Amino acid sequence: MRKKVYLDYSATTPMKKEVLDEMLPFFNVQFGNPSSIHSFGRDNKTAVAKAREQIAKTINAASDEIFFTAGGSESDNWAIKGVAYALKEKGKHIITSKIEHHAVLHTCQYLEKEGFEVTYLNVDAYGLISLEELKAAIRPDTILITIMFANNEIGTVEPVKEIAAMAKAHGITFHTDAVQAYGNLPIDVKELGIDLMSISAHKVYGPKGIGALYVKKGTKLHPLIHGGAQEKKRRAGTENVPGIVGFGKAAEMAFEDLEGHMESLISKRDRLIQELKERIPFMHLNGHPTKRLPGNVNICIQFIEGEALLLSLDMVGIASSSGSACTSGSLDPSHVLMAIGLTHEVAHGSLRITIGDFTTDEDIDYVIQQLPPIVDRLRQMSPLFEKVKGGN
Amino acid sequence: MRKKVYLDYSATTPMKKEVLDEMLPFFNVQFGNPSSIHSFGRDNKTAVAKAREQIAKTINAASDEIFFTAGGSESDNWAIKGVAYALKEKGKHIITSKIEHHAVLHTCQYLEKEGFEVTYLNVDAYGLISLEELKAAIRPDTILITIMFANNEIGTVEPVKEIAAMAKAHGITFHTDAVQAYGNLPIDVKELGIDLMSISAHKVYGPKGIGALYVKKGTKLHPLIHGGAQEKKRRAGTENVPGIVGFGKAAEMAFEDLEGHMESLISKRDRLIQELKERIPFMHLNGHPTKRLPGNVNICIQFIEGEALLLSLDMVGIASSSGSACTSGSLDPSHVLMAIGLTHEVAHGSLRITIGDFTTDEDIDYVIQQLPPIVDRLRQMSPLFEKVKGGN
Amino acid sequence: MYSDKVMDHFMNPRNVGEIENADAVGQVGNPKCGDIMKMYLKIEDGVIVDVKFKTFGCGSAIATSSMATEMIMGKTIEEALNLSNKAVAEALDGLPPVKMHCSVLAEQAVKSAIYHYAEKNGLYFKELEGFDPDADEDHHHDEESCHI
Amino acid sequence: MYSDKVMDHFMNPRNVGEIENADAVGQVGNPKCGDIMKMYLKIEDGVIVDVKFKTFGCGSAIATSSMATEMIMGKTIEEALNLSNKAVAEALDGLPPVKMHCSVLAEQAVKSAIYHYAEKNGLYFKELEGFDPDADEDHHHDEESCHI
Ligand SMILES: Cc1ncc(COP(=O)(O)O)c(C=O)c1O
Ligand SMILES: Cc1ncc(COP(=O)(O)O)c(C=O)c1O
């Protein structure tokens, strides 16, 4: 079989075998509804409680502060709309950034149509927000600040602790989308002062279709999904027991040796960046060199276009992405790359390579070997490169 | 091992082996994000499209009218809030019934707090709404009628076609919660005239945490979960590929021989009702005798309390429920049993036995054998029964 | 959900039944709320020499009734009046929070029986001061408020 | 996503390159929008005897450029002007709907080259009536509207 190298861990991760093994009995043996009184259901209540505890532990939360959802997008929608509607008598102003995931951005844009006001903070060339700009944006009617923990495209890690402190000082609820950060960076919600935090299982070797929202005790929040009494009446719907159990296991495993995981990824990441820089002219790194997700490499390769790059890499078995996986349906250059000040031309040549627990040194070598000739080939075809060569 | 007889199919169903087999590769082999361009993702796009087609076929919909959600509750919330907010300039009045699932009722109650007006239609002793009352409730500002296809507690099947026709005649969007009906009754959305319909996989031997909303082409509806471009930009979030694939397979299987499935359940259901009636005095059937879900038996056994009944049945390995599984967290008698006019005392003695594809004739025999002595034992302890005996 | 002790007292309740010519009978609870406890006492020289109960209610209502009868059997009236709902719940290795009201009912069923006994026999027990045997019924004017 | 034909023309594009002293050169597209096609023609006696292209763009942009060059090679100018974007897309066994604009670009690159050739040589082709070689640029005043 052709060599296959998966390097799109930020889009989604393969589920670990141990996670699947934990889930299997809950599909058709211990399959009861956890709300049921009988033995088929009772056992599942226990299983759900265990998973909640497993996840709570990883972020230093109490287990009754963890609420299961169907994924990161639902968590983001719930947090933002939930706070907006719960506090709309107090104020209708929300602060976010220009580089949020669409689950945050489009939710904020929706709320604008519904009569809320939203400030979208700028970011610098690294993708970092400015605390001064944040401070200046705060108004008496600001009810929510939602800034992502780490960016899914360029990997930049935001100053969450400082943002949280500023929110707290002004009595404003603070939500952070930690879908990419969770499992890749240490997160202590108490120490950081986070009120609401979104996470998603499929980014940490767990199943798709399950996520969670951390809700600090006492946080005012309307439900997004009303109905049955599940999740302490805050999120209705028969519990996705296998998903929840899998998420619990995946969370536990992700934090067994977070340090080791980070070190390993960072060393591969930095080697890849370094070697590519040496081999590919007119290429540069997007995002911050050190305040960055351990597994994220995001580069712009000038004079060629990202999709052509992805296809060419795919032909040699390398799976990567250009901009957020979620936005690949659109042809506009990524809003994140625009926000850090890239021109359209340059942004079109972006390539995101994200590495994870199954990435080997050989995989990195393979990319280092395969990418430069692909770049060459595409540049030879590019009328933009022509001019540069001419100028040489 | 102790005998175990699962008779709570309306709460949830065990997943069929064929369904699990279809899902397995998508957890860690073909695990890519369907939005990705590379081969890991592309294949999954195809898998999702196939499942959508499988489901669409079962209800005579086009496959681009099927939108995946995280379950029945999300579908209900999406349909109701989605229409309410999309049409709020046109009107703010919604019509529903008193016996809806909490996913509908609590959503409506929430909308009342947000400035909408809701009419809750009465039902008769069988749980049927009155078309006259519905007609009288329609106002110029009515934007949505949401009436369930079949009730989850008492199994009564509502006159969906007539309701849809009335909604259409008045230019009102019609949503139906078919979570219980789907896979148990024939449903042709075109013939019935349904605009929006909620379904859930785990009620038809599919996985938990996945559902769908049928949205007739052209229906005005805001998203509930904003974000990425998935589901044609109407429902964001990385697709739960294994869940979707499993739902597709389960749907296909459920409709392979719907007639046979219905006949088999109805014959077991009616035998159970008949035999219990002959053995247990002061017992009666809730819901309609024939306009009823094939697998639903719901009885009230006077002078005893439902939970005690459930626990006693559980001790002999029989899993059943008393009122909706979702409401078992609460101690109030079920709103459905109240709506059909039962007194509190009687409602407290309700027992729901729901049968499904793995139920055997021996299972029915076992209930017929086990239930009467349990009822006897509990009645011997009951101060309410004392008086009745005295009067004998 | 329930401890083994609760399940044992539910499946094998002690002292179920009635006492003919009981010296004291008390009933608390309300069928609307899904639980009624009726307690029968035989009292000799201020000591409870026999006790029986009948209960309409959930598993924990039956179990707490059973446990309460065991705990007051052979005790003096004063001792029985000092039986607290917490003691009953603890003797059962605990109850789920939503079911604690059942233990309250058990305590009140005992008190109610002794209250009527005291009334009939012109006795005074300071433990009964402030006890209103009908209080439970009053709670339920508002049907929504069963088991607060 | 792409047909095998598209992938073949993307991975092994025909006629990539430049023609020195080309008789006709046309360029369409906009780097802002992520695609530029540049087409070089060698024309003898009204017949296209050589054609090369360079393209900055996605897989289908490269593939349609390649296919378009193959389709006009050896054709008369009039035949080349009659090349429709649909024909290019069909020759590639179809394109995904979001990628149809690439085939439009290919058609326009050919037209643009011939337009400049006609201008230079004072020729008239009725097929070019209404064709504006800069139309594509104009579309993009609004940056949001790439690839409408
Ligand atoms: C009629 C009805 N509607 C909605 C639901 C909610 O579905 P889910 O549990 O999949 O969210 C259920 C089942 O719990 C139901 O029976
Ligand atoms: C930062 C960020 N937020 C939210 C999401 C959405 O998560 P999900 O796809 O689980 O809904 C993603 C991933 O797609 C993400 O990277």
Side-chain angles (χ1 to χ4, degrees):
Chain A
M1 224 187 70
R2 205 184 57 179
K3 192 171 171 69
K4 282 220 172 198
V5 178
Y6 186 75
L7 291 171
D8 201 8
Y9 282 84
S10 273
T12 193
T13 57
M15 220 165 71
K16 288 192 173 151
K17 197 188 163 311
E18 296 89 334
V19 172
L20 181 57
D21 288 346
E22 291 269 322
M23 291 169 67
L24 282 176
F26 295 92
F27 286 117
N28 44 21
V29 182
Q30 199 179 323
F31 64 85
N33 190 319
S35 300
S36 301
I37 264 179
H38 49 68
S39 61
F40 293 82
R42 270 201 313 269
D43 304 344
N44 282 346
K45 213 166 190 160
T46 317
V48 169
K50 180 182 159 195
R52 205 185 303 281
E53 180 64 33
Q54 283 171 316
I55 292 167
K57 257 192 194 155
T58 61
I59 56 169
N60 191 27
S63 80
D64 61 356
E65 295 176 314
I66 302 296
F67 295 85
F68 289 110
T69 68
S73 300
E74 183 191 328
S75 296
D76 284 341
N77 274 259
W78 180 16
I80 296 168
K81 291 180 199 164
V83 170
Y85 284 97
L87 300 184
K88 70 177 188 296
E89 308 304 333
K90 195 184 152 202
K92 293 191 132 191
H93 180 240
I94 295 168
I95 300 174
T96 186
S97 85
K98 287 192 176 156
I99 61 161
E100 298 298 312
H101 189 269
H102 282 154
V104 169
L105 278 187
H106 289 165
T107 302
C108 287
Q109 285 157 5
Y110 177 73
L111 288 176
E112 284 186 282
K113 283 189 212 144
E114 296 293 313
F116 290 83
E117 271 184 85
V118 182
T119 300
Y120 300 89
L121 298 178
N122 293 304
V123 293
D124 66 14
Y126 293 125
L128 289 166
I129 69 144
S130 139
L131 292 168
E132 287 75 55
E133 195 185 330
L134 169 60
K135 195 168 182 184
I138 292 175
R139 314 190 317 205
D141 62 339
T142 305
I143 50 174
L144 175 69
I145 296 174
T146 172
I147 305 282
M148 69 200 317
F149 205 115
N151 183 271
N152 46 306
E153 293 190 44
I154 57 173
T156 301
V157 181
E158 300 296 334
V160 171
K161 191 169 179 174
E162 290 75 11
I163 300 169
M166 202 174 289
K168 186 165 195 172
H170 292 81
I172 299 166
T173 303
F174 173 54
H175 166 252
T176 188
D177 174 344
V179 168
Q180 292 290 340
Y182 183 70
N184 291 308
L185 297 171
I187 301 179
D188 180 325
V189 289
K190 302 292 172 218
E191 194 212 311
L192 293 169
I194 295 167
D195 296 318
L196 296 159
M197 185 171 84
S198 304
I199 58 179
S200 186
H202 73 97
K203 308 281 189 186
V204 291
Y205 313 95
K208 292 179 175 61
I210 190 82
L213 185 65
Y214 158 75
V215 182
K216 188 181 153 186
K217 233 163 279 172
T219 306
K220 290 214 176 77
L221 185 74
H222 280 184
L224 181 69
I225 301 183
H226 295 81
Q230 294 92 351
E231 300 297 293
K232 296 206 254 56
K233 301 196 183 172
R234 299 183 86 163
R235 200 281 192 177
T238 300
E239 294 88 342
N240 176 355
V241 182
I244 289 172
V245 166
F247 193 6
K249 181 68 183 174
E252 192 183 84
M253 290 181 74
F255 286 81
E256 258 163 20
D257 178 20
L258 183 62
E259 284 285 309
H261 161 86
M262 288 173 62
E263 269 171 34
S264 158
L265 263 55
I266 287 174
S267 95
K268 291 190 183 81
R269 174 193 80 186
D270 288 347
R271 181 164 77 90
L272 181 57
I273 294 171
Q274 200 45 46
E275 301 261 8
L276 291 181
K277 266 190 185 159
E278 285 169 17
R279 281 166 177 76
I280 303 174
F282 305 106
M283 168 205 129
H284 79 272
L285 182 71
N286 297 313
H288 198 278
T290 56
K291 293 178 187 170
R292 124 178 252 120
L293 285 171
N296 178 289
V297 175
N298 190 307
I299 51 180
C300 278
I301 302 178
Q302 275 185 266
F303 319 122
I304 58 180
E305 192 274 342
E307 195 219 82
L309 212 43
L310 292 194
L311 284 176
S312 303
L313 285 167
D314 189 44
M315 293 306 286
V316 297
I318 298 172
S320 57
S321 93
S322 180
S324 158
C326 293
T327 62
S328 70
S330 136
L331 289 164
D332 289 329
S334 134
H335 66 283
V336 176
L337 301 178
M338 294 291 97
I340 59 173
L342 300 189
T343 62
H344 281 65
E345 291 88 310
V346 172
H348 280 300
S350 88
L351 175 68
R352 184 186 71 174
I353 294 175
T354 44
I355 61 190
D357 283 355
F358 299 112
T359 307
T360 61
D361 287 320
E362 289 69 47
D363 293 340
I364 302 293
D365 291 339
Y366 188 63
V367 178
I368 294 168
Q369 173 208 326
Q370 294 291 329
L371 185 55
I374 287 172
V375 170
D376 268 356
R377 192 182 85 88
L378 291 172
R379 282 186 173 165
Q380 290 313 323
M381 280 193 247
S382 169
L384 298 176
F385 191 56
E386 207 177 289
K387 295 179 202 156
V388 179
K389 278 191 308 180
N392 267 357
Chain B
M1 225 187 69
R2 206 183 59 178
K3 193 173 170 71
K4 282 222 174 195
V5 178
Y6 186 75
L7 291 170
D8 202 7
Y9 281 85
S10 274
T12 193
T13 57
M15 221 165 71
K16 288 191 173 151
K17 197 189 162 312
E18 295 89 335
V19 173
L20 182 56
D21 288 345
E22 292 268 324
M23 291 169 67
L24 281 178
F26 294 93
F27 286 117
N28 43 21
V29 183
Q30 199 179 325
F31 64 85
N33 190 320
S35 301
S36 299
I37 263 180
H38 50 68
S39 62
F40 293 82
R42 271 201 313 267
D43 304 344
N44 283 346
K45 212 166 192 161
T46 317
V48 168
K50 179 182 162 197
R52 206 186 302 280
E53 180 62 37
Q54 284 171 315
I55 292 167
K57 256 192 193 154
T58 62
I59 57 170
N60 192 27
S63 80
D64 61 356
E65 294 176 315
I66 303 296
F67 296 85
F68 290 109
T69 67
S73 299
E74 184 191 326
S75 296
D76 284 342
N77 274 260
W78 180 16
I80 297 169
K81 291 180 199 166
V83 170
Y85 284 97
L87 300 183
K88 70 177 189 295
E89 308 303 334
K90 195 183 151 202
K92 292 190 131 191
H93 180 239
I94 295 168
I95 300 174
T96 186
S97 84
K98 288 191 175 156
I99 61 161
E100 298 298 312
H101 189 271
H102 282 153
V104 169
L105 278 187
H106 289 165
T107 301
C108 288
Q109 284 157 8
Y110 176 73
L111 288 176
E112 284 186 282
K113 282 189 213 144
E114 296 293 313
F116 290 83
E117 271 183 85
V118 181
T119 301
Y120 300 89
L121 298 178
N122 292 304
V123 293
D124 66 13
Y126 293 124
L128 289 166
I129 68 142
S130 141
L131 292 167
E132 287 76 55
E133 195 185 331
L134 169 60
K135 194 170 184 182
I138 292 174
R139 316 190 315 205
D141 62 340
T142 306
I143 50 173
L144 174 69
I145 296 174
T146 172
I147 304 281
M148 69 201 316
F149 206 116
N151 183 269
N152 47 307
E153 293 191 42
I154 58 174
T156 301
V157 181
E158 301 297 333
V160 171
K161 190 171 181 172
E162 290 76 10
I163 299 168
M166 202 175 287
K168 184 163 197 174
H170 291 82
I172 300 167
T173 303
F174 173 55
H175 166 252
T176 189
D177 174 345
V179 169
Q180 292 291 339
Y182 183 70
N184 290 308
L185 296 171
I187 301 180
D188 180 324
V189 289
K190 302 291 171 221
E191 194 212 312
L192 293 170
I194 295 167
D195 296 317
L196 296 159
M197 185 170 84
S198 305
I199 58 180
S200 185
H202 73 97
K203 308 283 188 185
V204 290
Y205 313 95
K208 291 178 176 61
I210 189 84
L213 185 65
Y214 158 75
V215 182
K216 189 180 152 184
K217 233 162 279 173
T219 306
K220 291 214 175 78
L221 185 73
H222 280 184
L224 182 67
I225 301 183
H226 295 81
Q230 294 92 350
E231 300 298 292
K232 295 205 254 56
K233 300 196 182 170
R234 299 184 86 164
R235 199 281 192 179
T238 300
E239 294 89 340
N240 176 354
V241 182
I244 288 171
V245 166
F247 193 6
K249 180 70 182 173
E252 191 183 85
M253 291 181 74
F255 286 81
E256 257 162 22
D257 179 21
L258 183 63
E259 284 286 309
H261 160 86
M262 288 173 63
E263 269 170 33
S264 159
L265 262 55
I266 288 174
S267 95
K268 291 190 184 79
R269 174 193 79 187
D270 288 347
R271 182 164 76 90
L272 181 57
I273 294 171
Q274 201 45 46
E275 301 261 7
L276 290 181
K277 265 191 186 158
E278 284 169 17
R279 281 165 176 78
I280 303 174
F282 304 107
M283 168 205 128
H284 79 272
L285 182 71
N286 296 314
H288 198 278
T290 55
K291 293 178 187 168
R292 139 176 238 115
L293 286 171
N296 177 290
V297 176
N298 189 310
I299 52 180
C300 277
I301 301 178
Q302 277 184 265
F303 319 123
I304 59 181
E305 192 276 341
E307 193 220 83
L309 212 43
L310 293 194
L311 284 176
S312 303
L313 284 167
D314 188 45
M315 294 305 286
V316 297
I318 298 172
S320 57
S321 93
S322 179
S324 157
C326 294
T327 62
S328 70
S330 136
L331 288 163
D332 290 329
S334 132
H335 65 284
V336 176
L337 301 177
M338 294 291 97
I340 60 173
L342 300 188
T343 62
H344 281 64
E345 291 87 311
V346 172
H348 280 300
S350 88
L351 175 69
R352 184 185 73 173
I353 294 174
T354 44
I355 62 191
D357 283 356
F358 299 112
T359 308
T360 62
D361 287 319
E362 290 69 46
D363 293 340
I364 302 294
D365 291 339
Y366 187 64
V367 178
I368 294 167
Q369 172 208 324
Q370 294 291 329
L371 184 55
I374 287 172
V375 170
D376 268 357
R377 190 182 85 88
L378 291 172
R379 281 185 175 167
Q380 290 313 321
M381 280 193 247
S382 169
L384 298 175
F385 191 55
E386 208 177 288
K387 294 180 203 154
V388 180
K389 280 190 309 182
N392 267 357
Chain C
M1 179 165 91
Y2 287 132
S3 70
D4 291 345
K5 274 249 179 85
V6 172
M7 285 311 293
D8 176 36
H9 275 266
F10 167 62
M11 291 303 290
N12 311 294
R14 328 314 193 227
N15 308 311
V16 177
E18 299 164 35
I19 299 178
E20 270 186 60
N21 307 319
D23 297 304
V25 180
Q27 178 173 319
V28 292
N30 184 324
K32 272 193 182 165
C33 295
D35 39 28
I36 294 180
M37 280 186 201
K38 196 164 178 183
M39 202 69 82
Y40 301 81
L41 306 181
K42 191 100 206 137
I43 298 173
E44 282 174 17
D45 300 332
V47 171
I48 297 167
V49 296
D50 197 11
V51 47
K52 297 257 186 237
F53 81 91
K54 284 216 166 176
T55 289
F56 159 77
C58 64
S60 63
I62 290 168
T64 50
S65 310
S66 165
M67 179 53 87
T69 59
E70 277 211 325
M71 291 176 85
I72 61 170
M73 180 81 82
K75 297 282 155 66
T76 63
I77 291 177
E78 284 83 359
E79 283 169 336
L81 286 173
N82 280 322
L83 179 77
S84 75
N85 78 302
K86 269 189 67 181
V88 177
E90 272 166 23
L92 287 165
D93 292 344
L95 286 172
V98 285
K99 297 292 187 177
M100 280 305 287
H101 70 274
C102 294
S103 63
V104 175
L105 275 186
E107 176 192 318
Q108 296 194 319
V110 174
K111 290 215 167 85
S112 167
I114 299 176
Y115 180 93
H116 292 119
Y117 174 74
E119 251 189 354
K120 199 169 63 184
N121 298 290
L123 299 172
Y124 167 81
F125 298 103
K126 72 170 192 319
E127 289 84 354
L128 282 174
E129 241 168 48
F131 175 75
D132 173 1
D134 301 321
D136 196 64
E137 309 271 330
D138 290 352
H139 274 171
H140 301 312
H141 281 168
D142 173 8
E143 288 184 8
E144 294 295 303
S145 68
C146 287
H147 314 302
I148 353 155
Chain D
M1 178 167 90
Y2 287 132
S3 70
D4 292 344
K5 272 248 179 85
V6 173
M7 285 310 293
D8 177 36
H9 276 265
F10 167 62
M11 291 302 290
N12 311 295
R14 324 321 188 224
N15 308 313
V16 179
E18 299 163 37
I19 299 178
E20 270 184 62
N21 308 319
D23 298 302
V25 179
Q27 178 172 321
V28 293
N30 184 325
K32 273 193 181 168
C33 293
D35 38 28
I36 294 180
M37 279 184 203
K38 195 165 180 183
M39 201 72 80
Y40 301 81
L41 306 181
K42 188 103 206 134
I43 298 173
E44 283 173 15
D45 300 331
V47 171
I48 297 168
V49 294
D50 197 11
V51 46
K52 298 256 184 236
F53 80 92
K54 285 218 166 175
T55 290
F56 160 78
C58 63
S60 63
I62 290 169
T64 51
S65 310
S66 165
M67 178 54 86
T69 59
E70 277 211 326
M71 291 175 84
I72 60 170
M73 180 80 83
K75 296 282 154 65
T76 64
I77 290 178
E78 284 83 358
E79 282 168 335
L81 286 172
N82 280 320
L83 179 76
S84 74
N85 77 302
K86 269 189 67 183
V88 177
E90 272 166 24
L92 288 165
D93 292 343
L95 287 171
V98 286
K99 298 291 187 179
M100 279 306 286
H101 71 274
C102 294
S103 62
V104 175
L105 275 187
E107 178 194 316
Q108 296 193 319
V110 174
K111 290 214 167 85
S112 166
I114 299 175
Y115 180 93
H116 292 119
Y117 175 75
E119 251 188 354
K120 200 168 61 182
N121 296 291
L123 299 172
Y124 167 82
F125 298 104
K126 71 170 190 321
E127 290 85 353
L128 281 174
E129 239 165 54
F131 175 77
D132 172 1
D134 302 320
D136 195 64
E137 309 272 328
D138 289 353
H139 273 173
H140 301 312
H141 282 170
D142 173 8
E143 287 184 9
E144 293 296 304
S145 68
C146 287
H147 314 305
I148 351 160

